[in-house]
Every structure is written in C-alpha cells, then in structure tokens.
Amino acid sequence: MKLGLSLGLIALCSLFACAGDDGGEAFGEHDVEGTVQDEFTSRGISGAKVTFVSDTLDRAETTSEQDGRFVLHVELPECVRFGTLEAARAGYADSAKASVYFDGSALRLELKLRPKN
C-alpha cells in the first residue's frame, strides 16, 4: 500500500509542478518505437493497441503494423518525464506495463503478449 501511496504523491507533485508556471507551458514531442511480439514465438503481432499513460495521466495510442512494429508520437508538457506503455489485442493477455523515461535517450521497447488458451 505504501508503494501505491508514494506513486500517487509523485504524480500529484508532478501535476502541481506542471501547473505552477504562468500558463505559457512548453510542450515536448517524443517518439516511442518498438515491437509487439508473441511471448512464445517472438513473432510480431499486428493490430495490437499500444497505449502510453504519463504520470499526469496524459494519454497517447497507436496500433502495431503487420510485423508488430509501432511508432507512438507523444506530446507532453515539458515537465512530464515519466509514464508507462502497454499493449493489448484480442486473443492475448495484456502485456506487462513498461516504464518510459523521457531523459533524452532513444526509446525502443519490446512488448510481449501471451496467447490466451
């Protein structure tokens, strides 16, 4: 329970930090690239919904291509530096959430989906 409370406080502090300027907020653009793959075969999965949610609850979505690749364009206030990414598709269990940090490094992730029986 402490972890959930701590993450909530971090998100709340981030929200106030973003809201604390004079309204002339700058936005940053980021591209998150990767593939959605079958956990057992490592084959790309087409048509998977890839969703990003920032620590201030900003959202962005895209769909994976025929080979499982995706590019997700994310536009966020400059003060937002963290979020999570996950994938979902019918017939598969949702992927684990992957942490995304906008620290200037290239963002490339593999999201694995496990087929449902």
Side-chain angles (χ1 to χ4, degrees):
M1 186 64 180
K2 285 185 178 182
L3 179 60
L5 181 59
S6 296
L7 290 176
L9 287 173
I10 290 170
L12 187 60
C13 289
S14 295
L15 182 61
F16 284 125
C18 284
D21 66 16
D22 62 359
E25 181 149 14
F27 283 81
E29 296 181 8
H30 311 278
D31 285 330
V32 180
E33 299 181 25
T35 56
V36 180
Q37 299 177 342
D38 183 291
E39 184 175 301
F40 299 117
T41 67
S42 295
R43 289 185 181 174
I45 298 173
S46 66
K49 184 169 95 174
V50 179
T51 305
F52 169 83
V53 180
S54 76
D55 60 341
T56 56
L57 304 180
D58 298 289
R59 297 177 64 89
E61 293 181 354
T62 193
T63 303
S64 62
E65 300 291 330
Q66 186 71 23
D67 59 0
R69 289 188 215 169
F70 66 88
V71 177
L72 181 62
H73 182 74
V74 180
E75 186 175 327
L76 299 167
E78 283 291 335
C79 61
V80 176
R81 298 283 180 220
F82 172 79
T84 58
L85 190 72
E86 67 181 322
R89 186 170 190 280
Y92 291 87
D94 293 355
S95 72
K97 290 184 179 181
S99 295
V100 178
Y101 298 94
F102 300 112
D103 60 3
S105 61
L107 297 171
R108 180 142 180 78
L109 297 133
E110 290 182 357
L111 301 171
K112 303 282 188 174
L113 299 179
R114 178 177 286 192
K116 291 182 179 177
N117 290 334

